[in-house]
Amino acid sequence: MIPVQFDYLAPTSVEEALAALGEHGDDAKIMAGGQSLLPVLRMRLNAPEVVIDLGGISSLRGIRDDGDALVIGAMTTHHDVRDDSLVKEHALLLSKAAAEVADSQIRHRGTFGGALAHADPAGDLGAPALALGAQFVIAGPGGTRTVEAADFFVDLFETAIGDDEILVEVRIPKHTGWGAHYEKFVRVAHQWPIVAIAATVKGSIDEARVGLTNMGSTPLRATATEQALAGASATEDGVREAAQLAAEGTNPPSDLNGAADYRQHLARVLTGRAVLKAAGA
């Protein structure tokens, strides 16, 4: 299908983008890499009068070291997140997860911030960002504000970004030396995960962070499993026992790919695998 006709704006600064968004309001849609928005437009599931393309704003791209955190621009591609040396050194979990996003073409066009702002609970980057304690820097008419990951994801396809605001960068606290693994379960290659687990561990295992993909309307933390793993040894029996708690408090969907109880079973099994691989066991 062909999208409904719309006006196309290509600002070159965040200020221009915010001005355009303020002028057109509900009639406008922000486009980052376009990998989620363009299919929606083609199917006419959304028909904005104006599309504001952030691709020309160079300040929104790149990864930099900022002391105890990495700062990733919202328009940085999945490919660049995957391959960046700073990310591999200080936030290995993000590199592992970005490598699992769709296929090579989408990783070169899709953006880190765009995927997070889209807030699909089956997306591959929300759970790793949550597990790593990311902070989201959002720009609006009144300046910028920072939102913790736990408060950023509000509901299905809904975030803390206001209608007149734009996500500009994401701060990732450094987890230097932590092991990491992203365990993704799909029926066919390049599919959205039926369930995926983002795990990162310090030592063997002094501390663990575990994020759950597609186990509710937002990314989730497996806090009971994290608490059970703290100070545990990276043995198969010990890790798998803690992993049995991974589905506590989850509300996964039931669809053609699997019922909710099946997904909860997957979460327990995949958590065990992910934590063991992250710990190098």
Side-chain angles (χ1 to χ4, degrees):
M1 295 180 66
I2 299 173
V4 174
Q5 183 174 336
F6 56 82
D7 291 332
Y8 173 82
L9 302 180
T12 57
S13 70
V14 172
E15 292 75 17
E16 286 182 24
L18 288 172
L21 192 57
E23 178 182 354
H24 298 284
D26 293 340
D27 295 328
K29 290 291 288 185
I30 292 289
M31 183 170 72
Q35 302 307 294
S36 297
L37 178 61
L38 290 179
V40 168
L41 297 183
R42 286 178 61 86
M43 291 185 287
R44 299 197 177 191
L45 297 176
N46 199 309
E49 294 182 9
V50 178
V51 170
I52 303 170
D53 184 358
L54 303 184
I57 306 178
S58 59
S59 64
L60 296 183
R61 290 192 296 274
I63 300 167
R64 70 179 191 273
D65 190 320
D66 190 28
D68 59 356
L70 296 182
V71 180
I72 304 177
M75 291 295 292
T76 305
T77 65
H78 305 311
H79 170 270
D80 288 348
V81 172
R82 183 194 68 178
D83 289 355
D84 187 83
S85 60
L86 286 173
V87 175
K88 289 180 179 180
E89 180 180 1
H90 301 296
L92 180 61
L93 181 57
L94 280 185
S95 176
K96 298 269 190 177
E100 297 297 325
V101 173
D103 55 30
S104 181
Q105 180 176 352
I106 288 176
R107 288 193 294 271
H108 277 80
R109 290 292 304 168
T111 65
F112 184 67
L116 292 169
H118 185 55
D120 187 335
D124 290 304
L125 299 178
L130 183 64
L132 291 170
Q135 296 177 313
F136 295 79
V137 181
I138 300 169
T144 61
R145 61 190 181 96
T146 301
V147 178
E148 300 290 335
D151 300 317
F152 180 77
F153 300 103
V154 176
D155 205 343
L156 185 72
F157 300 110
E158 183 181 352
T159 71
I161 303 172
D163 293 339
D164 57 351
E165 294 181 316
I166 295 171
L167 177 66
V168 292
E169 62 187 28
V170 183
R171 297 180 59 85
I172 307 292
K174 288 183 178 177
H175 288 70
T176 311
W178 287 49
H181 185 73
Y182 187 67
E183 186 76 14
K184 180 174 179 176
F185 186 84
V186 296
R187 292 187 184 276
V188 296
H190 312 315
Q191 188 185 38
W192 297 109
I194 298 172
V195 174
I197 306 297
T200 187
V201 302
K202 181 180 181 181
S204 181
I205 302 170
D206 301 323
E207 186 178 352
R209 302 286 185 88
V210 180
L212 309 176
T213 299
N214 213 12
M215 289 296 292
S217 61
T218 66
L220 299 172
R221 287 272 294 274
T223 53
T225 292
E226 293 175 352
Q227 292 167 4
L229 287 170
S233 59
T235 63
E236 185 169 343
D237 288 343
V239 169
R240 295 198 187 284
E241 182 178 354
Q244 293 305 303
L245 305 173
E248 286 192 2
T250 64
N251 185 29
S254 290
D255 55 29
L256 293 175
N257 286 314
D261 59 349
Y262 172 63
R263 281 187 160 92
Q264 290 177 327
H265 165 73
L266 284 177
R268 292 187 285 266
V269 173
L270 299 178
T271 295
R273 293 178 186 173
V275 172
L276 285 169
K277 290 179 180 178

